[in-house]
Amino acid sequence: NVIIFNFFRNLRPLVEMFKPDKMFCVWEGNPKFRYELYSDYKANRVKTASRITHQELFQKVKPKIKDILFNFPITFARADEYEADDVIATLCEQLKEEDLTIISSDSDFIQLLQKGYNIDLYNPIKKQFVEAPEYPYVVWKSLNGDKSDNINKIVSPKKALDLVNNPNKLSEFLDLEENRAN
């Protein structure tokens, strides 16, 4: 199967590059609490025929991939009601004394770079390490929104950067009830 072949073809060079002492493979759960908090969470994700087909094919071969991975020194992690991001963040907290590398193209992990953990974030698509920004990323992201998760921006990226770099302006901005509600 092409999907299985590609999975391992992409995994092998990463293992060879990083030579990990321990590896975790984290699977996605279903974050019901996020949908309860915000019913439109990820509602903008378009399900094209090719995307559905690819997801269906992956779901069909996922057990085979897991079976093969069970022969490797890999620890599997999954929490039924949490996204893989949440599980990875929890693992980072539990292993904060370790040198860790997260391999992902998901920008949500940038916030972990500012937590004081010994973390490197490697983007396998761009084939480069991601650096922590100078500004408080979570505050910036909260103001800027997240298109991929269908969370609207409150201000433009430039305005968000201006606010996070100026605590007095941010405080004034948050003093307005409408801004706090958003």
Side-chain angles (χ1 to χ4, degrees), residues 11-24 73 99-101 103 122 129:
L11 179 63
R12 182 178 177 184
L14 293 169
V15 172
E16 290 172 351
M17 178 179 173
F18 291 103
K19 298 178 180 30
D21 296 328
K22 183 158 184 106
M23 282 178 44
F24 290 88
D99 291 327
L100 306 171
T101 302
I103 300 171
Y122 182 77
F129 287 94

Side-chain angles (χ1 to χ4, degrees), residues 118-182:
N118 298 320
I119 294 179
D120 287 320
L121 176 56
Y122 182 77
N123 183 322
I125 307 299
K126 295 180 178 178
K127 297 187 184 328
Q128 65 185 31
F129 287 94
V130 177
E131 298 293 324
E134 298 289 323
Y135 52 87
Y137 182 76
V138 172
V139 177
W140 176 83
K141 184 112 177 184
S142 298
L143 293 168
N144 192 47
D146 188 335
K147 225 180 214 184
S148 69
D149 288 341
N150 200 36
I151 298 173
N152 295 326
K153 65 182 174 183
I154 298 169
V155 297
S156 71
K158 184 177 178 182
K159 175 77 171 176
L161 190 56
D162 183 45
L163 289 170
V164 298
N165 284 322
N166 187 327
N168 291 334
K169 281 186 179 180
L170 180 60
S171 181
E172 290 171 13
F173 179 82
L174 294 175
D175 280 343
L176 298 173
E177 177 61 34
E178 178 184 354
N179 294 336
R180 277 196 316 280
N182 284 332

